[in-house]
């Protein structure tokens, strides 16, 4: 029998698992949505204890679907969406719900760090901004608001690190996760213990750092019983979820450009330029180690907070009719919403959205920003709102892309679209025209767990290297941008930018009103 490898990805909207063989074929796949708790303004959480239960179910389901014998599984790797935080006690039990990447409660801690440690000093060490709410600020929030919980923390983990702990009994962290913790020096590849200690965070609660590609342990008998796997299977250290997705879709060389429209909307450019990440443009982006040669390779990842999540919001809030049709006829509610949007012309007939449903990341870094629908009139219907939301996510990502182009970072085309909303041909066309670049779609859209499976194969030595991803990938449905459409979109993009500048002060006022309730 062929050797098999399992990948599991813990996203923001849900978890996925896949089993691949040593020929790059996906044998089994499973998915389960997460409940996202947003009970207070700025809060966004998962039930941390559910991560393990869901992971066990998905591993069993993907193996069952693929008719995979546990004896044929030769490695496993886990990824997760970051920044996110799981705090565990000495018995490896979660102490609270986990923070996911949309959580923005620690605004006072961000302000304190800027005023007392200095924004410039922090960036000069980390090459990242505090507004991304690394786990560092969440730990400071816990120390202030839930000191009893904080005092019981054994390790502060990522979601994938928590699953790796449950699998192996070892608390570890891969290099690609470390910048999302904060106080991580991207030049030395170590946490800055002095910086942590100045904020009352004991560096001992952070797990050991390892390369993504390193085998860090084996599945324990207890984990084997829970997952249906065999004890002794090697476990790779893991990777951040976007890296997993892009590795699986063949991004292994400097300049490779890929995009996801999962919960967030982002794209990544692989490179090795320390000069860029510490530049003024790099200061506006998110920068961290890439999985391929993770000690030496970087990826810059501009991100809008609610990419695919914006369409999920529209579906869940305004798409009851479409969801009922899906239930009765099996036609995707997303497809039904997209069909309505396809009838609407470019620019959504004067409807412009700011898609900042949970604040915004690059390049504006505004945790208080919120969604705006501008220009709404009686002529607009549901299809207009759906298309305007798609266009706004494209504007939000393009806002960063244009700056990176100006900085001269090497970019290889086509732009490859991968997970989530990328399945929508309409959305891909909007992105191609807004960015004014050729794009292609990955034919096999298993996504992050497929890349995790490849990582497991590389880590165990079963695959000769990450080049197998390029050998196995196939790109389909290429699109070329329309110069006419791009020009029209740039007019709307100007309005999009102007709206934000006009309402930016009002976001601050609104935040104060929210907090006073």
């Amino acid at each position: 029998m062929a050797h098999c490898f399992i990948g599991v990805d813990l996203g923001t909207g849900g978890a996925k698992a896949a089993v691949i063989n040593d020929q790059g074929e996906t044998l089994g796949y499973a998915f389960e949505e997460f409940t996202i708790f947003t009970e207070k303004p700025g809060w966004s959480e998962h039930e941390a204890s559910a991560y393990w239960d869901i992971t066990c179910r998905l591993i069993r389901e993907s193996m069952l679907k693929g008719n995979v014998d546990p004896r044929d599984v030769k490695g496993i790797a886990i990824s997760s969406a970051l920044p996110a935080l799981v705090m565990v006690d000495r018995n490896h039990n979660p102490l609270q719900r986990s923070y996911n990447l949309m959580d923005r409660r620690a605004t006072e801690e961000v302000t304190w760090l800027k005023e007392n440690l200095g924004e410039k000093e922090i960036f000069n060490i980390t090459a990242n901004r505090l507004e991304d709410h690394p786990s560092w600020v969440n730990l400071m929030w816990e120390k202030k608001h839930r000191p009893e919980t904080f005092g019981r923390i054994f390790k502060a983990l990522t979601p994938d690190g928590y699953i790796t702990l449950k699998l192996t009994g070892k608390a570890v962290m891969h290099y690609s996760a470390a910048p999302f913790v904060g106080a991580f020096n991207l030049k030395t590849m170590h946490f800055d213990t002095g910086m942590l200690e100045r904020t009352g965070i004991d560096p001992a609660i952070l797990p050991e750092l390892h390369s993504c590609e390193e085998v860090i342990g084996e599945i324990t008998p207890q984990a084997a019983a829970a997952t249906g796997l065999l004890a002794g299977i090697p476990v790779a250290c893991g990777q951040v979820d976007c890296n997993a997705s892009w590795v699986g879709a063949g991004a292994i060389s400097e300049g490779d450009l890929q995009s996801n429209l999962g919960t967030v909307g982002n794209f990544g450019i692989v490179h090795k330029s320390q000069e860029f990440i510490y530049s003024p443009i790099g200061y506006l982006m998110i920068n961290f180690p890439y999985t391929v040669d993770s000690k030496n390779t970087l990826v810059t990842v501009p991100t809008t907070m609610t990419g695919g999540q914006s369409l999920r919001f529209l579906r869940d809030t305004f798409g009851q009719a479409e969801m009922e049709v899906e239930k009765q006829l099996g036609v995707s509610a997303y497809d039904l919403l997209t069909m309505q949007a396809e009838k609407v012309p470019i620019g959504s007939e004067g409807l412009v959205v700011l898609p900042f449903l949970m604040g915004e990341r690059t390049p504006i870094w505004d945790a208080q920003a919120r969604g705006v629908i501008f220009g709404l009139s009686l002529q607009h219907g549901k299809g207009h709102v759906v298309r305007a939301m798609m266009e706004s996510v494209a504007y939000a990502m393009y806002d960063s892309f244009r700056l990176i182009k100006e900085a001269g970072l090497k970019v290889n085309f086509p732009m490859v679209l991968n997970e989530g909303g990328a399945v929508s041909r309409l959305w891909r066309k909007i992105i191609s025209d807004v960015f004014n670049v050729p794009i292609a779609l990955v034919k096999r859209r298993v996504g992050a767990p497929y890349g995790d499976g490849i990582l497991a194969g590389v880590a165990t030595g079963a695959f000769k290297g990450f080049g197998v991803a390029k050998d196995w990938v196939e790109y389909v449905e290429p699109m070329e941008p329309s110069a006419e459409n791009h020009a029209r979109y740039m007019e709307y993009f100007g309005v999009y930018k102007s709206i934000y500048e006009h309402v930016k002060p009002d976001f601050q006022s609104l935040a104060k009103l929210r907090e006073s309730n």
Side-chain angles (χ1 to χ4, degrees), residues 39 41 89 148 216-217 241 253 273 290 305 312 431 472 494 513:
E39 295 174 355
D89 63 19
E148 182 180 347
I216 54 82
D241 68 334
S253 304
S273 177
Y290 196 57
M305 278 293 290
R312 179 175 172 177
I431 291 170
W472 293 335
L513 288 172

Side-chain angles (χ1 to χ4, degrees), residues 207-218:
E208 291 182 2
L209 286 170
H210 295 267
S211 298
C212 299
E213 317 94 308
E214 185 178 343
V215 170
I216 54 82
E218 298 178 344

Side-chain angles (χ1 to χ4, degrees), residues 291-324:
T291 301
V292 180
D293 187 17
S294 60
K295 287 184 179 179
N296 302 295
T297 308
L298 300 163
V299 63
T300 290
V301 184
T303 301
T304 183
M305 278 293 290
T306 46
Q309 182 68 22
S310 65
L311 265 292
R312 179 175 172 177
F313 168 77
L314 291 181
R315 181 200 68 176
D316 293 349
T317 309
F318 305 108
Q320 287 82 3
E322 288 79 8
M323 292 172 72
E324 185 61 30

Side-chain angles (χ1 to χ4, degrees), residues 442-512:
V442 176
K443 182 176 182 179
R444 177 183 48 234
R445 291 184 301 282
V446 180
Y450 184 83
D452 292 324
I454 290 177
L455 173 60
V458 172
T460 58
F463 300 159
K464 59 186 178 181
F466 288 102
V468 296
K470 189 74 81 174
D471 296 337
W472 293 335
V473 74
E474 183 178 354
Y475 304 131
V476 297
E477 299 186 34
M479 290 183 179
E480 292 291 330
S482 160
E484 180 182 351
N485 290 354
H486 176 70
R488 185 63 170 161
Y489 274 132
M490 289 304 94
E491 293 177 328
Y492 277 103
F493 177 73
V495 175
Y496 164 90
K497 291 294 292 180
S498 178
I499 293 168
Y500 172 70
E501 292 302 326
H502 280 94
V503 301
K504 181 177 179 179
D506 298 316
F507 286 140
Q508 306 303 315
S509 301
L510 189 60
K512 292 177 181 178

Side-chain angles (χ1 to χ4, degrees), residues 43-364:
W43 290 36
S44 188
E45 301 174 312
H46 293 145
E47 198 63 67
S49 59
Y51 288 145
W52 178 238
D53 295 336
I54 291 172
T55 296
C56 292
R57 286 198 296 270
L58 293 180
I59 288 174
R60 288 179 178 275
E61 183 181 346
S62 61
M63 291 175 61
L64 181 64
K65 288 180 175 178
N67 194 27
V68 174
D69 189 321
R71 292 173 296 183
D72 295 327
V73 177
K74 304 301 179 183
I76 185 170
I78 316 295
S79 62
S80 63
L82 302 175
L85 173 65
V86 181
M87 301 169 289
V88 299
D89 63 19
R90 292 191 173 275
N91 295 319
H92 302 172
N93 296 316
L95 291 165
Q96 295 282 350
R97 285 176 177 166
S98 62
Y99 293 71
N100 64 51
L101 58 75
M102 295 189 293
D103 194 281
R104 287 297 181 271
R105 78 185 72 174
T107 53
E108 291 182 3
E109 286 68 28
V110 169
T111 300
W112 189 94
L113 285 169
K114 288 181 178 180
E115 293 176 350
N116 291 274
L117 270 66
E119 194 169 4
K120 184 176 181 181
E121 177 186 349
I122 293 169
F123 177 76
N124 286 342
I125 291 174
T126 67
N128 281 287
R129 299 171 64 101
L130 289 167
E131 288 93 340
D132 199 31
H133 283 226
S135 300
W136 184 17
V137 302
N138 299 141
L139 290 168
M140 291 173 63
W141 188 94
E142 292 288 337
K143 187 172 185 289
K144 178 180 179 181
H145 295 277
R146 294 194 289 219
E148 182 180 347
T149 294
F150 182 81
R152 295 173 58 205
I153 296 174
F154 168 60
K155 292 295 178 183
L157 303 169
T158 59
D160 65 275
Y162 171 63
I163 297 303
T164 300
L165 174 67
K166 296 288 286 185
L167 287 171
T168 67
K170 295 185 178 181
V172 298
M173 180 177 291
H174 45 84
Y175 284 129
S176 69
F180 294 99
V181 173
F184 180 73
N185 191 320
L186 263 174
K187 294 174 182 175
T188 66
M189 301 291 280
H190 290 95
F191 287 112
D192 190 301
T193 56
M195 190 174 282
L196 290 167
E197 289 169 349
R198 286 166 67 184
T199 56
I201 306 300
D202 184 354
I205 70 172
L206 299 181
E208 291 182 2
L209 286 170
H210 295 267
S211 298
C212 299
E213 317 94 308
E214 185 178 343
V215 170
I216 54 82
E218 298 178 344
I219 291 180
T220 65
Q222 295 85 352
T227 59
L229 298 171
L230 300 183
I233 292 173
V235 180
C237 195
Q239 56 190 328
V240 66
D241 68 334
C242 55
N243 282 8
S245 176
W246 298 330
V247 163
I252 62 171
S253 304
E254 290 181 67
D256 282 351
L257 167 66
Q258 294 210 10
S259 175
N260 290 342
L261 289 171
T263 300
V264 302
N266 62 20
F267 62 90
I269 301 175
V270 181
H271 64 94
K272 294 187 176 182
S273 177
Q274 291 274 344
E275 180 182 357
F276 173 80
I277 64 173
Y278 287 100
S279 72
I281 300 301
Y283 173 68
L284 299 176
M285 306 302 161
I286 302 169
N287 308 291
F288 51 91
Y290 196 57
T291 301
V292 180
D293 187 17
S294 60
K295 287 184 179 179
N296 302 295
T297 308
L298 300 163
V299 63
T300 290
V301 184
T303 301
T304 183
M305 278 293 290
T306 46
Q309 182 68 22
S310 65
L311 265 292
R312 179 175 172 177
F313 168 77
L314 291 181
R315 181 200 68 176
D316 293 349
T317 309
F318 305 108
Q320 287 82 3
E322 288 79 8
M323 292 172 72
E324 185 61 30
V325 172
E326 178 175 327
K327 189 184 302 182
Q328 298 297 326
L329 301 179
V331 181
S332 166
Y334 287 118
D335 289 346
L336 294 169
L337 290 169
T338 298
M339 287 171 61
Q340 297 172 66
E342 286 173 336
K343 299 175 183 178
V344 177
I346 285 174
S348 302
E349 295 188 304
L351 194 64
V352 179
V353 171
L354 301 187
F356 312 141
L357 304 183
M358 288 294 290
E360 182 59 316
R361 285 165 131 178
T362 67
I364 64 173

